[in-house]
Amino acid sequence: ATIIGLITGVLGFLASVIGVATGCCKCFIEDPLQMFRAKGCLQPEIDIIGSVVKQVKRNIWQHVSREGAGTICIHGIAGVGKTAIVATINNLALRKPKLFDFFFLVSVSDGANLWQVQEDIASVISEKLPVDSNIGNRVGKLRTALTGKKKFLLILDSMWQGYSPSDIGIPELTGGRKLIVTSRLHSVLDSMGGNEHFVIKPLTNDDDWTLFEHELGSDNLSKLSSEILTRTKNAIQDLQGVPLAIKKLAQNLKNKCQNSQTNIVAEWEEVLDCLSRSATFLEDRNHELFSSLQKSYQHLRAETQRCFLFCALYPKAHPIETKELIDYWMWESMLGFGTLRKMRSNGNKRLDELRDANLLENVNEVEKKAVKMPNLIRDMALAIADEKFLVEAGNSHTQFALAGAWPEGVVRVSFMRNQLGVLFLPDSYHFDMLSTLLLLDNPFNQNNHHNLFFSWMRNLKLLDLLNTRLSFLPNSLSDLTDLRALLLRNCQQLSDLPSLSKLSQLYALELPGTRLEKWPEKMHLLTNLRRLDLTQAKSDTFPAECIRSYNKLEELLMMWDTNSRGCMWGSNEVTYWNGACVEWLPNLGHLAVLELVFLNARVFNSYMNACSKTTDGYAITTTCFKFFVGGVHSASVESNSHKNSITVIDDHRIVLPQSTLVLNLMSCPEELRSLNMTGCLQDLTVLDVFDFNGLTYLLTFDMWHSLGNLRKVCVRRCRNIEGIIQPGEQANPIIISHSSLVELVLLDLQRLRSVGGRQTLHFKNLAKIKVWECPLLRLPQLPRVRDDNVIEIEGEKEWWDCVREQNPDIDGCRVGFREAPVPLELSSYPRYVYNNFGAHSYNGFPTSVLTLTRSLSFLGHYTTTFQKLRLNANPDNT
């Protein structure tokens, strides 16, 4: 027995020595009679550089070495060092043999499904699973095998698909069992149900240079000039802290130092020049860096891969607006078929896939309205697209020819954000495959554009000329019969368009901000139009009659800031009206997005009467709308930026459609006891009333309670208003409650005395009250709440001191005061632009004259206020 013991000890010692030397042999002996049974394997370790990464490693180890936290998830982009972290954790655990009985690090096969993941685990733990298709048998066998390992640490490195541990066959993670999972996909880690989540972020600017120095060697750095060092530091910053990329650059430069002892500077400059050209850095597709990045691309669905490659058309490090990007995909038929709303929904799902794979990053994590493509990911995309893409975005070119010859089979071309002055290409250029041409953000301020510029682009489907100074477009545009999207946003110098009658496949025509003096003939032939955007398209000559032909139209945007007949929608009932008529709208049965200016309240109500009426009120077919009723003015254009919002000027008697979220009522001098709104009030979240000088109370008690979802009430410059809620008929004070109201804004209300009379207010979610220039206002009785909610009050210090003096009990309520500067709304009066063709133009007097006459009646009381008022008088109404 003694001899056997000595032999066992010697063999165990030799096995451990060999294991340490190779990093993959059996290290410890659990049972003397099974001397080669292993507890785990040492892994080759890589130096971890960076204070932040080291801290994350320490945090992970703390959770591994203590009780609890059964599943630990580690997330990070390609090449950031996830495998290096778990290899270090594995080796740390092996050096603490009392923590676990067994240690297993499983490198999961690329694209492994559930069956393959089980095989990878079984191979490492030396278990053979049944090969039959009964997944239950395999799960049971693997669970039994792992349960027999007692306390174990199982690491699944580089998971590509998410499964719950129980579905794989991993037993319940109790009694000291731990599971670590790494992935570059958020969704995979969510599926694994981790107790703790850690993110490995790229290196900071200081740490990336430290890693570069470590990999290159100080001797090699000493041979370089300060100029080359500066260029090298800039190149490393472009790699955005990805360790694998930094190591590749260091290795390339190190090889140059070793191979050329005489001309090191020239060799380094060559490498740095290559790095500055997009895809050259990744030209070696066999290198670990390219293959690592490409895995993320290869695991995308085919349709998502196309969407991903499209993102490379943007300039380097350029924010990409998600709405614009999804529209591009849509016009290029990348999002399937169906309604625009359905295709945009598909586009958002594709964006989520790309974010999940860390191929796109949010510019702002809160709003998520823009994304950006990491530099290395963009380089990889351009390397994959190869000659099908010509991307010269953001390169300051003044001529197309300076970018060199265009590849013959090019499909997508991007010259956005350059300094191109003229549309000109040699006649020898033929682009039969060209589908996308992005020329936005270029001057194009010369007038010698080649008339045949588009002649050899017959397959073109997407043309974007946003923010250019083109005064006209070449006539060859008329021959682009396959064009699906013509985007001419903010082309303020554009005064003329060639004929569009042959563009029968055109889905989107966007002209916001243009100043067309003349519209092309036969616009009615664009019968496939799905989207027509004429927002702020300053033209009185738009042929409104053609809209009747667009029976496939889903989005119509005609929100203009002028009150000419060309931009407003009237009615057949309006005398001598020859513009667009609301009676046409119900016949456009596919409309989902609608932004219009209605002539007046009577016309708007005619539109509502033409819509279908349900038990809950009037239902319009659009899911998203913005309406102006009675004209527009500068203040209302900005305020009406919300979805499903209505702004009414000089009236308030409109019928609200279903799903109205925001209602702005502006500039009505009519004497009113309180507002009397009809229609669907239950969805309203914001009520903003401005310049209603004849209003005594804002709402009746019954109407207040009918607005159950109201979150914000704003009342401004209503000079005669005395209260927000009209007192009820009850003799005794009552409690006025509201469960949704969050904010109350009261500005320049000279006669306002109370919010709810003598009633006690119980607004359990009220968080903010903003008061300014309301000298007579006294705060309502506020209940003494017991929770931690504090109502923030903003206003003038003098007013607040007066409130506290008259109501000493206010300090016992949960309120906090903050002295605020003069609100922007009171700093200057808005510039009015009244409707000159309103239904209220009785006896030949336009609305603006009536409004001015009514306003004069207040002159005696408010001379100073009236002097501030600036009217934009129409010459006809002087």
Side-chain angles (χ1 to χ4, degrees):
T2 303
I3 294 173
I4 293 174
L6 288 172
I7 294 174
T8 300
V10 170
L11 290 175
F13 172 75
L14 291 174
S16 64
V17 170
I18 296 172
V20 171
T22 63
C24 59
C25 291
K26 312 304 192 265
C27 301
F28 300 97
I29 296 180
E30 177 77 11
D31 187 344
L33 298 179
Q34 298 183 22
M35 61 188 66
F36 292 106
R37 182 169 135 191
K39 292 187 70 178
C41 301
L42 282 172
Q43 302 296 323
E45 287 194 43
I46 301 173
D47 290 333
I48 295 176
I49 293 177
S51 56
V52 176
V53 179
K54 288 180 179 179
Q55 183 59 50
V56 173
K57 183 198 73 173
R58 286 193 290 268
N59 292 341
I60 295 172
W61 173 246
Q62 287 178 3
H63 284 85
V64 170
S65 58
R66 71 187 187 193
E67 294 183 1
T71 302
I72 300 170
C73 294
I74 302 175
H75 174 264
I77 63 175
V80 80
K82 300 183 295 296
T83 298
I85 290 285
V86 294
T88 302
I89 295 296
N90 176 84
N91 293 348
L92 284 172
L94 277 168
R95 297 184 184 108
K96 303 284 185 180
K98 293 183 180 180
L99 283 177
F100 301 99
D101 297 322
F102 288 89
F103 310 84
F104 304 114
L105 193 153
V106 181
S107 296
V108 180
S109 304
D110 290 343
N113 56 18
L114 179 59
W115 194 91
Q116 186 60 52
V117 171
Q118 293 171 333
E119 284 295 313
D120 290 340
I121 296 173
S123 176
V124 171
I125 68 173
S126 302
E127 191 70 37
K128 189 173 181 62
L129 298 179
V131 296
D132 58 39
S133 58
N134 190 328
I135 195 69
N137 293 339
R138 294 171 58 84
V139 169
K141 179 78 171 178
L142 186 59
R143 181 180 291 114
T144 301
L146 285 171
T147 302
K149 305 300 182 184
K150 301 178 182 177
K151 292 196 302 181
F152 62 77
L153 173 64
L154 174 62
I155 301 174
L156 301 180
D157 186 28
S158 193
M159 288 282 288
W160 285 98
Q161 295 188 45
Y163 308 101
S164 69
S166 59
D167 290 343
I168 297 174
I170 299 172
E172 188 176 355
L173 297 170
T174 57
R177 300 175 184 137
K178 297 288 179 70
L179 171 66
I180 298 178
V181 184
T182 76
S183 178
R184 60 183 74 174
L185 301 175
H186 290 284
S187 56
V188 168
L189 298 179
D190 291 340
S191 300
M192 301 298 292
N195 303 99
E196 299 291 339
H197 287 256
F198 296 92
V199 178
I200 311 298
K201 295 184 178 181
L203 300 176
T204 62
N205 288 342
D206 292 335
D207 290 337
D208 59 9
W209 181 253
T210 302
L211 175 60
F212 179 77
E213 280 186 304
H214 177 79
E215 294 293 326
L216 184 69
S218 56
D219 292 342
N220 292 320
L221 276 177
S222 64
K223 301 175 184 178
L224 303 175
S225 66
S226 59
E227 180 183 353
I228 294 296
L229 282 176
T230 300
R231 289 191 61 191
T232 304
K233 289 181 178 180
N234 292 336
I236 291 173
Q237 287 183 4
D238 282 344
L239 300 180
Q240 298 178 322
V242 178
L244 190 59
I246 296 171
K247 290 177 181 179
K248 181 181 189 304
L249 175 61
Q251 189 60 50
N252 286 358
L253 296 175
K254 190 174 184 178
N255 291 339
K256 296 294 183 182
C257 292
Q258 294 171 350
N259 298 334
S260 176
Q261 298 297 327
T262 59
N263 199 13
I264 294 177
V265 173
E267 295 283 353
W268 273 51
E269 286 182 337
E270 180 184 348
V271 173
L272 295 174
D273 288 339
C274 289
L275 183 59
S276 66
R277 296 194 297 270
S278 288
T280 312
F281 186 59
L282 295 173
E283 61 185 359
D284 182 6
R285 299 197 176 197
N286 294 320
H287 191 275
E288 180 187 2
L289 176 60
F290 183 87
S291 60
S292 177
L293 295 172
Q294 193 181 31
K295 287 177 184 177
S296 296
Y297 169 78
Q298 291 172 336
H299 282 83
L300 298 173
R301 295 181 298 164
E303 56 269 24
T304 307
Q305 288 180 351
R306 293 179 61 204
C307 294
F308 163 72
L309 294 179
F310 195 99
C311 301
L313 296 174
Y314 284 86
K316 187 176 184 178
H318 184 69
I320 305 172
E321 292 185 14
T322 55
K323 183 181 183 302
E324 177 185 75
L325 180 62
I326 290 174
D327 280 357
Y328 280 159
W329 292 343
M330 187 164 58
W331 308 137
E332 280 287 0
S333 304
M334 296 182 184
L335 302 178
F337 299 96
T339 64
L340 300 186
R341 184 183 181 187
K342 179 182 178 182
M343 287 190 281
R344 285 200 179 96
S345 177
N346 292 339
N348 281 311
K349 292 176 182 177
R350 305 279 171 82
L351 269 179
D352 288 341
E353 288 182 52
L354 296 175
R355 290 189 187 104
D356 183 49
N358 284 294
L359 296 173
L360 291 179
E361 301 172 352
N362 289 317
V363 173
N364 185 309
E365 286 295 338
V366 178
E367 294 184 348
K368 298 185 178 181
K369 292 182 178 180
V371 293
K372 61 181 178 181
M373 182 176 256
N375 294 342
L376 282 173
I377 300 298
R378 181 176 182 269
D379 292 348
M380 183 262 291
L382 291 174
I384 294 173
D386 202 13
E387 291 192 349
K388 291 184 178 180
F389 280 30
L390 174 61
V391 181
E392 295 291 341
N395 288 342
S396 302
H397 291 308
T398 56
Q399 301 176 29
F400 288 108
L402 295 178
W406 293 19
E408 186 173 340
V410 67
V411 175
R412 310 201 194 285
V413 171
S414 174
F415 275 84
M416 65 171 73
R417 298 179 69 84
N418 278 280
Q419 297 298 320
L420 300 174
V422 61
L423 292 171
F424 177 81
L425 285 171
D427 292 339
S428 59
Y429 280 36
H430 288 205
F431 311 111
D432 296 334
M433 303 297 293
L434 185 62
S435 179
T436 302
L437 182 58
L438 304 180
L439 302 178
L440 53 155
D441 294 317
N442 280 282
F444 290 124
N445 50 359
Q446 302 177 28
N447 292 324
N448 55 336
H449 306 302
H450 200 308
N451 249 332
L452 299 179
F453 181 81
F454 297 109
S455 294
W456 307 111
M457 305 177 185
R458 300 300 177 87
N459 191 51
L460 196 64
K461 293 180 175 60
L462 170 60
L463 174 61
D464 194 347
L465 291 162
L466 163 74
N467 285 339
T468 58
R469 283 178 272 172
L470 288 160
S471 57
F472 70 94
L473 288 172
N475 289 331
S476 52
L477 177 74
S478 302
D479 297 324
L480 299 178
T481 55
D482 288 336
L483 194 65
R484 293 169 64 91
L486 178 57
L487 311 179
L488 302 171
R489 295 162 291 174
N490 203 32
C491 296
Q492 297 187 10
Q493 308 300 321
L494 189 63
S495 59
D496 193 12
L497 281 176
S499 174
L500 306 180
S501 60
K502 295 181 183 179
L503 277 56
S504 58
Q505 300 302 312
L506 197 65
Y507 268 41
L509 178 59
E510 297 189 356
L511 294 162
T514 58
R515 301 174 182 270
L516 290 182
E517 297 175 1
K518 181 182 178 181
W519 289 83
E521 296 181 354
K522 300 182 180 179
M523 287 282 292
H524 65 281
L525 296 179
L526 303 178
T527 54
N528 267 315
L529 269 185
R530 304 299 200 270
R531 176 178 171 85
L532 177 61
D533 188 354
L534 303 177
T535 304
Q536 308 300 337
K538 301 173 177 62
S539 175
D540 294 341
T541 61
F542 175 69
E545 184 74 20
C546 66
I547 294 179
R548 305 180 68 175
S549 304
Y550 304 155
N551 54 13
K552 296 181 181 178
L553 200 64
E554 298 179 39
E555 300 179 359
L556 176 60
L557 296 87
M558 295 179 65
M559 193 67 74
W560 297 352
D561 63 358
T562 176
N563 286 327
S564 64
R565 287 176 177 264
C567 78
M568 287 194 177
W569 282 69
S571 169
N572 291 330
E573 300 176 1
V574 178
T575 307
Y576 303 119
W577 182 259
N578 58 2
C581 295
V582 294
E583 286 79 9
W584 304 344
L585 294 174
N587 296 326
L588 303 177
H590 298 286
L591 278 177
V593 177
L594 191 59
E595 297 184 6
L596 299 179
V597 181
F598 293 89
L599 192 62
N600 50 51
R602 192 169 73 177
V603 169
F604 181 79
N605 289 336
S606 295
Y607 166 59
M608 293 301 301
N609 289 330
C611 297
S612 59
K613 188 173 183 180
T614 68
T615 55
D616 295 328
Y618 289 94
I620 56 179
T621 58
T622 57
T623 56
C624 181
F625 58 83
K626 295 178 186 177
F627 296 145
F628 280 94
V629 180
V632 296
H633 64 65
S634 56
S636 61
V637 171
E638 186 65 27
S639 64
N640 194 8
S641 59
H642 301 86
K643 175 183 175 182
N644 290 11
S645 58
I646 301 177
T647 296
V648 186
I649 300 175
D650 200 34
D651 206 336
H652 73 290
R653 294 180 293 268
I654 66 165
V655 179
L656 295 183
Q658 290 179 7
S659 303
T660 303
L661 301 178
V662 179
L663 177 62
N664 302 303
L665 301 175
M666 315 186 80
S667 307
C668 180
E670 182 180 352
E671 293 188 6
L672 300 167
R673 182 69 174 169
S674 63
L675 296 178
N676 183 19
M677 298 179 292
T678 59
C680 298
L681 306 177
Q682 65 269 21
D683 296 324
L684 201 63
T685 60
V686 177
L687 175 61
D688 188 346
V689 180
F690 172 78
D691 198 22
F692 267 54
N693 285 328
L695 190 63
T696 305
Y697 293 98
L698 183 67
L699 298 168
T700 64
F701 181 79
D702 291 336
M703 184 167 288
W704 175 262
H705 281 281
S706 68
L707 300 172
N709 290 310
L710 200 62
R711 294 179 57 82
K712 180 178 179 178
V713 173
C714 184
V715 187
R716 301 172 290 151
R717 288 207 180 101
C718 299
R719 302 306 177 86
N720 284 324
I721 196 167
E722 298 177 6
I724 301 302
I725 303 172
Q726 186 174 341
E729 298 178 355
Q730 294 89 339
N732 298 321
I734 61 172
I735 294 178
I736 300 178
S737 62
H738 201 287
S739 59
S740 300
L741 190 68
V742 174
E743 184 175 1
L744 181 61
V745 179
L746 307 171
L747 305 178
D748 195 8
L749 310 176
Q750 302 294 333
R751 296 187 177 183
L752 180 66
R753 293 182 176 275
S754 69
V755 174
R758 298 175 58 193
Q759 290 91 339
T760 298
L761 302 186
H762 182 62
F763 302 157
K764 66 179 183 179
N765 288 312
L766 185 63
K768 185 175 183 179
I769 301 177
K770 187 175 182 179
V771 180
W772 201 274
E773 291 193 15
C774 303
L776 304 181
L777 176 64
R778 297 296 171 260
L779 283 181
Q781 299 180 39
L782 298 171
R784 295 174 178 270
V785 293
R786 296 179 181 177
D787 54 25
D788 294 331
N789 294 331
V790 176
I791 301 175
E792 179 184 334
I793 300 178
E794 287 187 10
E796 301 151 294
K797 181 67 164 54
E798 295 82 358
W799 168 80
W800 178 247
D801 290 340
C802 186
V803 168
R804 294 182 63 191
E805 182 180 342
Q806 297 187 9
N807 186 8
D809 293 337
I810 192 71
D811 291 330
C813 302
R814 287 285 188 175
V815 297
F817 176 77
R818 184 174 73 90
E819 186 175 8
V822 179
L824 182 62
E825 298 96 321
L826 300 183
S827 59
S828 63
Y829 277 70
R831 176 174 175 267
Y832 286 86
V833 183
Y834 284 107
N835 163 24
N836 299 328
F837 306 99
H840 299 296
S841 302
Y842 301 116
N843 301 321
F845 289 95
T847 304
S848 56
V849 174
L850 292 176
T851 303
L852 179 59
T853 304
R854 292 165 181 161
S855 300
L856 287 172
S857 65
F858 296 90
L859 185 58
H861 297 286
Y862 306 109
T863 303
T864 303
T865 299
F866 187 78
Q867 286 174 348
K868 297 179 183 177
L869 187 63
R870 300 198 304 265
L871 291 176
N872 179 36
N874 186 292
D876 296 335
N877 301 325
T878 305

